[in-house]
Amino acid sequence: MMIHAPRPRSLAAGAATVTVVLWASAFVSIRSAGAAYSPGALALGRLLAGALTLGVICLVRREGLPPRSAWRGIAISGVLWFGFYMVALNWGEQQVDAGTAALVVNIGPILVALLATRLLGDTMPPRLLAGMAVSFAGAVTVGLSMSGDGGSSVLGVVLCLLAAVGYASGVVAQKPALGRASVLQVTTFGCLVGAVVCLPFAGQLVSEAADAPASATLNMVYLGVFPTALAFTTWAYALARTTASRMGATTYAVPALVVLMSWLALGEVPGLLTLAGGALCLAGVAVSRSRRRAGRGAAREAVTAPEPEKASGSA
């Protein structure tokens, strides 16, 4: 039995890594697609591509409909995270510079931790708190180093703040649904709900697609297939096997990867302050997840103990 214990953990860690890398790549693609598509049209096109991809996979795997008990969480996460978050973030990034957007949106993991503690009963161990504090300091450093052109507006800041609230609320709503339906069902139907919410932008999508360059449309499709369909599925897989607070802390690796990808793909050479902030983000994630090692000895004791008292640990 002890042989099988580490494997789900390593698979969940691998899934979280895939999610973080693909979500980081989304920021680079949004810059290209966002030049030709308005915020709502881009969100709808991305969600349609994601829903189509996930729908085909569901048909092949014969997943069927989620149970009724899971629909509340799926609907809330679909409206707030897949739908509202994407539109608000796309719109907000057109109103503020990238640094301000990164800084404001990165309060999301803190909100996830607070909501999960309050609504889901997640614990906040000292290592997780310390790791989040270090990562947030890194995100602030990255944001400040990328800001400074006076390109921020009150509307843009408010939109990024609302995006962070939508993301955090969606994550906390999604967690219970993953205990009642499969990962693929929760992701697919959440994406479908988000697409339905964004249907009012269908007219904009059609008219803008006719004039958009092929590169922008391909980036929109990429956003739907990989950072949405694949990354949201790997996220849900990992979230089902750990706490919402810990998963939220993991996303602090995104700013560091965005800096690296922008350097490699767009030729945007980061300054020393930006690199230092990225390093802090990664260090904080390492600290927040290092509790796993400390818990291994306790986990082994729990396996040999006659009374399994830690059944609600990391499902």
Side-chain angles (χ1 to χ4, degrees), residues 108-175:
I110 297 175
L111 294 176
V112 169
L114 293 174
L115 288 173
T117 302
R118 177 76 175 175
L119 302 176
L120 302 179
D122 282 5
T123 57
M124 291 289 287
R127 282 180 181 267
L128 179 57
L129 285 170
M132 292 183 72
V134 171
S135 288
F136 185 69
V140 170
T141 303
V142 170
L144 292 176
S145 69
M146 296 168 65
S147 304
D149 294 332
S152 299
S153 70
V154 174
L155 175 61
V157 172
V158 170
L159 286 168
C160 289
L161 179 60
L162 290 174
V165 173
Y167 152 69
S169 303
V171 169
V172 173
Q174 189 187 62
K175 174 66 175 176

Side-chain angles (χ1 to χ4, degrees), residues 298-312:
R300 285 177 184 170
E301 290 176 16
V303 170
T304 56
E307 294 179 7
E309 291 188 59
K310 297 184 81 177
S312 61

Side-chain angles (χ1 to χ4, degrees), residues 5 8 14 22 59 122 124 159 197 204 242 262 270 288 314:
L22 289 177
L59 287 174
D122 282 5
M124 291 289 287
L159 286 168
V197 169
Q204 290 181 8
T242 187
S262 297
S288 68
S314 57

Side-chain angles (χ1 to χ4, degrees), residues 237-253:
Y237 177 88
L239 179 61
R241 289 156 178 79
T242 187
T243 64
S245 303
R246 194 172 295 276
M247 278 301 293
T250 302
T251 62
Y252 271 123

Side-chain angles (χ1 to χ4, degrees), residues 228-244:
T228 303
L230 177 56
F232 274 79
T233 302
T234 52
W235 163 275
Y237 177 88
L239 179 61
R241 289 156 178 79
T242 187
T243 64

